Amino acid sequence: MTVADLAQELATQLTLERPLVCLDLETTGTVSSTDRVVQIATAAIAPDGQVTTWSTLVNPQRPIPAESTAIHGISDAMVATAPTFADLVPVLTTWLESADLAGYNIQRFDRQVLAAEFQRVGAPDPTRHARVVDAYRILTRQEPRRLDDALRLYHMEDAAPPRRPHDAASDVEATVAVLVGQFRAYPDAPRTVDALHQWLFPRDPSWIDEEGKLAWRNGEASINFGAHTGRPLVDLAVDDRGVLEWILRKDFPEDVKAIVRDALAGRFPTRPVTN
């Protein structure tokens, strides 16, 4: 089915009072407040089911980190002659100001990135009053989450020992049964514990510490949270040591504090060379 066919079916399933714009962004990174858009794609579904698609590359006016290019394939050269976000404000405003939004995890990421981009160029955010249809939120609300639900989902009710409510040993037995059912259902899932851990908990390659409080930005070890996101440690160690000293006083992981102590002493991380 084409997107037009799917849009027409969606319009029969969902009452649309105004256009519903399904939107997705590719960006320079994963920090919604500071990273920049490098690609925008939309499919605008009218109440009668007609669909209009549009997409463009966007010049973020900053280098695209190599780790981001490795994910979405968009390089500095590809966006060199593309419009900037400021150039696109008129057309985006026309598309979005009288529409609702749809997307996958759009509420937590794409919408926040858009708001930051509009604010950065001094333009009103046309999505500020939009209602949101988020496919990710529908998935997490509707799929079963309890252990008994998981047993049924993977057809393991009869394989597990009889359930004993509120009994830890019974829960362990059910969890083992669910895991067996999952590996039966998903033959493409990794089959080593290490690979499975990496698959379930993928780590952003830009992270320096385990939680990503510090990250590589343009080749420099930088703060990756809060108001100081993107500021290199070397600059803070020279011009704003109070920020680093504040981190040492607060409840940050020890690996972060160790790097910060080194930075205050004039020692900074060196990014490992990868093949």
Side-chain angles (χ1 to χ4, degrees):
M1 298 177 71
T2 67
V3 68
D5 295 330
L6 293 167
Q8 289 171 359
E9 180 172 343
L10 181 59
T12 68
Q13 301 288 340
L14 184 65
T15 300
L16 301 180
E17 299 169 354
R18 56 184 187 169
L20 181 67
V21 177
C22 188
L23 178 144
D24 188 73
L25 306 176
E26 300 298 337
T27 62
T28 58
T30 58
V31 181
S32 60
S33 60
T34 57
D35 276 304
R36 304 293 182 85
V37 174
V38 297
Q39 185 183 34
I40 305 173
T42 64
I45 306 169
D48 64 1
Q50 295 301 305
V51 62
T52 304
T53 59
W54 175 79
S55 66
T56 182
L57 293 174
V58 183
N59 186 337
Q61 299 180 289
R62 65 162 62 171
I64 302 173
E67 55 267 22
S68 297
T69 297
I71 294 170
H72 51 52
I74 300 172
S75 66
D76 292 334
M78 292 170 64
V79 299
T81 59
T84 66
F85 191 87
D87 295 330
L88 295 169
V89 164
V91 66
L92 287 172
T93 300
T94 298
W95 274 106
L96 300 174
E97 65 180 348
S98 299
D100 293 318
L101 292 177
Y104 192 84
N105 206 25
I106 188 173
Q107 183 74 352
R108 292 183 59 187
F109 185 71
D110 304 75
R111 195 178 188 188
Q112 305 305 318
V113 173
L114 279 180
E117 288 277 27
F118 280 110
Q119 182 178 36
R120 195 172 291 120
V121 300
D125 178 4
T127 73
R128 61 192 180 280
H129 299 307
R131 296 164 298 187
V132 176
V133 178
D134 194 320
Y136 173 77
R137 294 294 294 272
I138 293 173
L139 174 68
T140 58
R141 284 181 63 90
Q142 294 300 106
E143 283 300 307
R145 294 299 186 90
R146 295 176 304 170
L147 198 48
D148 287 343
D149 293 325
L151 284 170
R152 287 190 291 272
L153 178 65
Y154 295 110
H155 309 293
M156 298 299 290
E157 309 100 304
D158 296 333
R163 295 285 284 136
R164 300 184 299 277
H166 308 295
D167 182 273
S170 181
D171 286 348
V172 167
E173 294 165 352
T175 299
V176 172
V178 167
L179 287 169
V180 170
Q182 288 174 327
F183 283 111
R184 290 178 182 174
Y186 309 129
D188 58 338
R191 286 309 202 254
T192 69
V193 171
D194 182 66
L196 191 61
H197 176 85
Q198 298 299 324
W199 183 60
L200 292 171
F201 307 103
R203 177 174 170 170
D204 190 312
S206 70
W207 287 6
I208 298 173
D209 61 285
E210 285 299 316
E211 294 185 5
K213 301 296 184 183
L214 306 172
W216 298 108
R217 291 294 186 94
N218 301 319
E220 294 186 291
S222 304
I223 298 292
N224 196 37
F225 66 93
H228 298 284
T229 296
R231 295 187 66 183
L233 293 182
V234 64
D235 291 352
L236 291 169
V238 173
D239 301 325
D240 203 349
R241 294 174 68 85
V243 174
L244 301 182
E245 292 166 351
W246 173 83
I247 291 174
L248 294 181
R249 294 194 301 270
K250 296 298 181 179
D251 187 24
F252 283 90
E254 185 53 39
D255 59 343
V256 174
K257 289 187 175 183
I259 295 169
V260 168
R261 288 191 199 99
D262 282 347
L264 286 168
R267 300 185 296 271
F268 303 97
T270 300
R271 185 165 194 175
V273 176
T274 57
N275 295 328

